[in-house]
Amino acid sequence: MGQHRMRAAEQLILDLPVRPALGRGDFFVTEANAMAVAQIDAWRHWSGNKFMLVGPKGSGKTHLAHVWQRESEGDVVGAETLAHADIPALAARPVCVENVDRIAGDGAGEDALFHLHNLALSEGHALLMTAQVPPARLGLALPDLRSRLMGTQFAQLELPDDVLLSAVLAKLFDDRQLTPDARVINYLVPRMRRSFDTAQRLVAAIDGAALARRRPITLAIARDCLDRMTPEGET
């Protein structure tokens, strides 16, 4: 049974499409993100030359934004930094603004995004944005910015499904040159918080615990590390 599970897990991972992201690993495509990935692939044909990735924390917005950055040769900036940014310089190439919802009600931030939006599009450069909520629910105070973003097309990213989370865990272990028993991943996936951030912290914790105990990664070590994780996914 153990060997059967190992072969099944290996086949699962081998069957997944892969795309590189910032040289930090592979971006796996499943039903949880396929629509968003398709839109990123078609970024040159976005309606109005702009698009928004929407999803909860840990759903992979940042990861996919950096995939787009690599393909578009653009920039990625946090919305919170826009008030002090060089807007004309940012507008001189494709640009992604992350966490647009975080500047809702911030006059300086909203004004900066308004000018970046207008300048980037007027110069023919694509604008990608990310947020936890769709454009109509951003809660922006600046009417002109709100009206410009209201009709922006968007794709909803879901939290990682079992297939995606299994592949991410396997890749994170592989990045550390670790090959845990397939039972470890099978145990973690249905019990851990569904987020890429949690997966990264959990794999790091398991690696650290195994090194400290000078033992290979076992199901007992993985279970202990998972039990120590807080609801927010931090040790």
Side-chain angles (χ1 to χ4, degrees):
M1 178 63 73
Q3 291 182 345
H4 175 73
R5 283 184 172 180
M6 177 73 79
R7 288 195 298 270
E10 290 173 349
Q11 187 63 43
L12 173 69
I13 293 166
L14 289 172
D15 284 347
L16 287 170
V18 174
R19 63 185 60 243
L22 284 181
R24 291 188 295 106
D26 299 318
F27 192 87
F28 299 95
V29 183
T30 73
E31 291 183 3
N33 58 30
M35 184 174 296
V37 172
Q39 289 292 337
I40 292 300
D41 286 340
W43 67 273
R44 292 179 179 83
H45 306 290
W46 288 341
S47 176
N49 218 17
K50 57 185 177 179
F51 194 76
M52 184 175 290
L53 292 172
V54 176
K57 181 179 179 181
S59 59
K61 297 187 300 296
T62 292
H63 196 165
L64 196 50
H66 284 292
V67 171
W68 177 80
Q69 177 194 31
R70 188 172 186 271
E71 294 184 359
S72 68
E73 299 182 347
D75 288 319
V76 176
V77 297
E80 303 96 322
T81 71
L82 287 181
H84 306 288
D86 184 340
I87 299 301
L90 286 176
R93 59 193 302 185
V95 60
C96 171
V97 180
E98 291 199 280
N99 305 312
V100 171
D101 44 322
R102 292 184 184 177
I103 60 170
D106 174 4
E110 290 193 19
D111 188 62
L113 179 56
F114 173 72
H115 290 297
L116 176 60
H117 172 282
N118 291 346
L119 189 55
L121 298 187
S122 70
E123 295 192 3
H125 297 302
L127 174 64
L128 175 64
M129 294 166 282
T130 75
Q132 293 195 36
V133 295
R137 295 173 51 200
L138 289 172
L140 299 171
L142 185 64
D144 287 339
L145 177 61
R146 188 168 61 244
S147 66
R148 280 164 174 74
L149 298 192
M150 188 71 72
T152 302
Q153 287 188 320
F154 68 93
Q156 183 80 39
L157 280 164
E158 305 297 338
L159 289 173
D161 55 23
D162 286 356
V163 174
L164 182 54
L165 201 53
S166 296
V168 167
L169 287 171
K171 185 61 175 65
L172 289 171
F173 279 120
D174 185 66
D175 286 344
R176 294 170 177 265
Q177 298 183 338
L178 301 171
T179 308
D181 189 295
R183 292 177 300 172
V184 170
I185 293 178
N186 291 343
Y187 176 83
L188 294 174
V189 167
R191 295 171 176 84
M192 64 182 285
R193 182 172 178 266
R194 291 185 173 275
S195 112
F196 293 117
D197 292 339
T198 297
Q200 292 171 348
R201 284 190 286 263
L202 184 54
V203 168
I206 292 172
D207 186 16
L211 286 172
R213 301 178 192 184
R214 298 183 179 180
R215 296 177 56 190
I217 294 173
T218 63
L219 186 57
I221 289 176
R223 183 186 297 114
D224 181 60
C225 290
L226 182 62
D227 288 345
R228 293 174 182 271
M229 300 284 279
T230 67
E232 287 73 32
E234 296 182 0
T235 55

